[in-house]
């Protein structure tokens, strides 16, 4: 294997001005994890290697021989791609803790290890979410002041995008966890998604300040006193509406169910249409005319156009993509990881969390 | 006003065999509450009065003069319809507790009062959900053994129906509340929705027994030891799939958000299509061919075809329908209330809760 040399300022390569340093972002792709064949993810890596050739080095982590074979099929290995052998596989439904303990040579353990050792800047995986989150938290550690990492996802709502956090890194959150989720996702929305001044909402069952459960009621005051553009409680209807908010904060149990429900519902609807349409000639004709609109609706179901879901709050960059990610989704997740590195999102999060803590200490 | 005479066995008219007694179901309709004009709900009441003429008496509760005027417009008042005056209006977004205290002559307070006094068997309202639930709980009381009432809703998933409970009667549930929700919704699914042997699932973030938050983990054992066809933890994907489960149990915070998110998403998608379609001739043509399918998709968004959402666990029958309910939805909610009365659902719930308590006391 050949890896690009570590940078002097590893792991996060920060510089004094906070500007992008223009250096190469070294991104590890977990080739093993995911529901599709490995070659699909390799194709995505090659697409990214070509598109971001000047500033990105991609490290493919997985069974070396098989990777080399697949790369040959795909036309060879570009100069900005290297391979690190990780012959073991963690299954999509394996218990994360057990798997991490017993499979030290898995793509997840080896891949996150490269970031932890300063040999890479970011880790991208379509594998077992629990295992990726656990390995990242254990090996990279939490950022200063952050009690719990949270997974953020940019949910597409047909005509706008909302960053939801936490969508499943943990459950039974406390108010302080939700405050940190909000601060971290606001940085993500600003620095990576590109929202100039993100408005932050608290997911609840009513819009009045007093509506909600114990957790949201206690969190409300924390968010109201943070340096955020806090719009208050947000009901699902407002979250779905354009102009409602840019970041929505919730406990990981609720967020995970919401994400999977929305995804499942959209995919069921488009699947149902696909089943119905072949049954009548008139439906087939109708589909042909409406196919562009229906495809757009379907595309909203997988959240992969944007990239992947970052695990925020860890001392490094980990992007979790959907298990079903195709080449294009993998390419987009690599693009997102690169944006995290270039924009020094981790540094911004550390600063924002520290500023909030200082404000609260003063009061 | 003229009301049918109270039955000797008021309020629930139970008989020894548990068979429907064939007597008249006396159903109060809250004419005032709802987002649409009153005449829409009156049209629904007249539809129900005609369709269920032999066994149903409908009591219209609202501003008497205006009701009489609207009834004249609609062709007069049938023999199985009467009017009870309730001139005050509780707004859709008023604070329930304050409104109930200050508006004693509102349709909600008067209407629930008729059931509490044994002058009616059921109350149907498209009004302020919080006020309807609070009035019903306070005036009718809880069923023996039930700590918290829960709102159940039959969610249509394109090709099947799932009863979800609780979708917002309360938040911060305890495990015993979720057990009771499950038992009550199982009776509802069996006796009203018509599922022979309902399978009950616990909404969670993973299907393994150990997945979930503190609440679901503690609830899991209670459900596993109840006299239910418990299928274990159910993720949103399985809930959406045909054959997954017939009843899904969750805390009211999660259930309310899930319901509103699904409803909002479907309505947004169909609304978006409605916006896009007029923009191109080809879209218009496509829509014309696919209109039947797209209408079916849209119909799944409002949950009103089935009827309304019963508040289970109170000593009486209260059906809460969507604020936007049209005449047909009101007619269906009255049909549902009638089915509750005929099938003595409340008695079945009392028996099921008592049986469960006895089993647990033995262990």
């Amino acid at each position: 294997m050949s890896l690009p040399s570590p940078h002097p300022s590893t792991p996060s390569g920060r510089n004094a001005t906070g500007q992008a340093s223009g250096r190469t972002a070294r991104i590890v792709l977990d080739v093993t994890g995911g529901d599709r064949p490995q070659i699909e993810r390799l194709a995505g890596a090659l697409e990214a290697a070509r598109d971001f050739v000047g500033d990105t080095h991609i490290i493919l982590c997985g069974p070396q021989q098989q990777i080399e074979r697949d790369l040959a099929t795909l036309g060879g290995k570009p100069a900005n791609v290297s391979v690190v052998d990780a012959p073991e596989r963690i299954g999509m439904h394996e218990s994360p803790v057990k798997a991490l303990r017993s499979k030290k040579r898995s793509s997840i353990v080896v891949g996150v290890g490269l970031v932890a050792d300063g040999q890479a800047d970011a880790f991208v995986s379509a594998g077992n979410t629990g295992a990726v989150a656990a390995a990242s938290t254990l090996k990279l550690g939490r950022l200063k002041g952050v009690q719990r990492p949270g997974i953020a996802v940019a949910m597409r709502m047909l005509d706008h995008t909302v960053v939801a956090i936490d969508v499943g890194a943990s459950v039974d959150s406390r108010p302080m966890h939700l405050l940190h989720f909000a601060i971290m996702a606001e940085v993500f929305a600003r620095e990576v998604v590109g929202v100039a001044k993100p408005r932050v909402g608290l997911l609840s069952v009513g819009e009045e300040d007093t509506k909600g459960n114990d957790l949201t009621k206690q969190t409300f005051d924390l968010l109201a006193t943070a340096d955020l553009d806090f719009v208050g409680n947000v009901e699902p209807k407002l979250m779905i509406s354009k102009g409602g908010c840019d970041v929505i904060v919730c406990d990981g149990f609720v967020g995970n169910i919401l994400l999977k429900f929305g995804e499942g519902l959209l995919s069921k609807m488009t699947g149902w249409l696909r089943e119905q349409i072949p049954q009548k000639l008139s439906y087939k004709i109708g589909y042909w005319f409406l196919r562009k609109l229906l495809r757009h609706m379907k595309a909203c179901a997988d959240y992969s156009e944007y990239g992947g879901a970052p695990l925020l709050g860890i001392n490094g960059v980990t992007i979790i993509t959907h298990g079903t990610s195709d080449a294009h989704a993998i390419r987009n997740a690599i693009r997102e990881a690169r944006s995290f590195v270039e924009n020094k999102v981790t540094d911004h999060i550390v600063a924002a969390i520290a500023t909030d803590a200082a404000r609260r200490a003063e009061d």
Side-chain angles (χ1 to χ4, degrees), chain A residues 94-108:
Chain A
E94 270 189 78
S95 154
V97 180
K98 268 192 221 163
L100 294 180
R101 253 191 229 133
S102 62
K103 296 182 175 170
K104 301 284 185 208
R105 299 188 67 209
S106 63
S107 53
I108 294 175

Side-chain angles (χ1 to χ4, degrees), chain A residues 145-146 165 175-191 198 200 222-223 225-229 247 249 312-313 345 348-360:
Chain A
V146 176
I165 185 169
M176 193 53 94
H177 302 150
L178 264 62
L179 168 68
H180 289 166
F181 293 162
I183 294 172
M184 298 191 297
E186 200 259 359
V187 172
F188 169 56
R190 197 155 26 87
E191 300 291 333
V200 177
L222 288 177
L223 292 178
T225 52
D227 185 21
L228 294 169
D229 187 358
V247 171
V249 178
L312 301 179
V345 174
H348 288 295
I349 289 176
V350 170
I353 294 281
T355 305
D356 182 81
R359 278 165 61 109
R360 289 181 199 281

Side-chain angles (χ1 to χ4, degrees), chain A residues 258-320:
Chain A
L258 198 73
L259 184 77
K260 287 181 182 162
F261 185 67
E263 201 180 57
L265 210 58
L266 290 179
S267 134
K268 166 131 195 174
M269 286 176 79
T270 50
W272 178 80
L273 278 177
R274 225 183 2 254
E275 252 179 54
Q276 299 292 320
I277 283 161
Q279 294 180 15
K280 277 193 184 178
L281 180 62
S282 61
Y283 290 167
K284 283 190 216 172
I285 298 170
Y287 175 77
W288 194 84
F289 283 111
L290 279 186
R291 67 194 187 286
K292 211 182 116 193
L293 292 184
L294 297 175
R295 272 191 208 137
H296 179 74
M297 252 168 60
K298 182 173 182 300
C300 287
D302 66 7
Y303 312 123
S304 64
E305 186 55 36
Y306 179 70
L311 178 67
L312 301 179
I314 52 163
N315 189 19
V317 177
T318 288
I319 308 284
I320 302 165

Side-chain angles (χ1 to χ4, degrees), chain A residues 21-345:
Chain A
S21 58
R23 67 180 182 78
T24 299
R26 301 157 306 164
I27 295 160
V28 183
L29 174 69
D30 169 8
V31 173
T32 310
D35 299 323
R36 295 189 183 229
Q38 155 177 310
I39 200 161
E40 182 82 32
R41 287 178 292 280
L42 289 176
L46 295 184
E47 207 183 308
R50 191 189 58 230
D51 291 352
F52 316 127
V53 65
D55 58 14
T56 306
H57 186 95
I58 297 168
I59 303 162
L60 304 170
C61 190
Q64 183 150 14
Q65 285 190 345
Q66 204 189 323
I67 291 175
E68 305 278 8
R69 230 177 10 243
D70 282 348
L71 284 177
T73 311
L74 292 167
K77 183 161 70 69
N80 62 336
V81 169
S82 53
V83 181
V84 170
D85 191 36
E88 290 180 316
R89 182 192 177 84
I90 294 182
M92 295 299 272
H93 299 287
E94 270 189 78
S95 154
V97 180
K98 268 192 221 163
L100 294 180
R101 253 191 229 133
S102 62
K103 296 182 175 170
K104 301 284 185 208
R105 299 188 67 209
S106 63
S107 53
I108 294 175
V109 175
V110 174
V112 174
L114 291 170
V115 181
D117 297 345
Q119 294 185 64
D121 303 305
F123 179 66
V124 172
S125 176
N128 182 318
T129 299
V132 173
S136 301
T137 307
L138 292 171
K139 281 183 168 279
L140 304 174
R142 284 176 283 115
L143 289 176
K144 188 164 185 257
V146 176
Q147 290 169 15
R148 273 197 193 172
I151 298 176
V153 70
M155 293 176 78
R156 292 194 302 157
M157 299 290 178
L158 287 164
D159 52 9
H160 70 293
T161 295
V162 176
V163 173
I165 185 169
D166 172 36
V167 296
S170 64
V171 295
D172 295 316
S173 313
R174 290 194 297 273
M176 193 53 94
H177 302 150
L178 264 62
L179 168 68
H180 289 166
F181 293 162
I183 294 172
M184 298 191 297
E186 200 259 359
V187 172
F188 169 56
R190 197 155 26 87
E191 300 291 333
V192 181
V193 182
V195 183
K197 179 77 182 148
R199 286 152 311 148
V200 177
L202 178 61
L203 186 63
S204 193
V205 292
E207 276 157 33
E208 301 85 345
D209 293 6
T210 53
K211 283 279 178 80
N213 59 11
D214 284 349
L215 175 65
T216 64
K217 285 178 193 167
Q218 288 172 45
T219 304
F220 192 96
D221 291 335
L222 288 177
L223 292 178
T225 52
D227 185 21
L228 294 169
D229 187 358
F230 178 51
V231 299
N233 285 331
V234 164
E235 278 198 282
K237 200 180 164 183
L238 188 64
M239 173 188 166
I240 291 166
S241 308
K242 195 172 176 174
C245 65
D246 305 297
V247 171
I248 187 101
V249 178
C250 57
D251 167 68
F253 184 86
V254 178
N256 191 268
I257 283 175
L258 198 73
L259 184 77
K260 287 181 182 162
F261 185 67
E263 201 180 57
L265 210 58
L266 290 179
S267 134
K268 166 131 195 174
M269 286 176 79
T270 50
W272 178 80
L273 278 177
R274 225 183 2 254
E275 252 179 54
Q276 299 292 320
I277 283 161
Q279 294 180 15
K280 277 193 184 178
L281 180 62
S282 61
Y283 290 167
K284 283 190 216 172
I285 298 170
Y287 175 77
W288 194 84
F289 283 111
L290 279 186
R291 67 194 187 286
K292 211 182 116 193
L293 292 184
L294 297 175
R295 272 191 208 137
H296 179 74
M297 252 168 60
K298 182 173 182 300
C300 287
D302 66 7
Y303 312 123
S304 64
E305 186 55 36
Y306 179 70
L311 178 67
L312 301 179
I314 52 163
N315 189 19
V317 177
T318 288
I319 308 284
I320 302 165
T321 73
H322 208 287
T324 59
S325 294
D326 60 10
H328 190 62
I330 293 293
R331 179 255 184 211
N332 287 345
I334 292 172
R335 180 189 61 187
E336 186 181 356
R338 174 172 158 269
S339 172
F340 260 82
V341 176
E342 274 185 359
N343 297 316
K344 304 179 191 314
V345 174

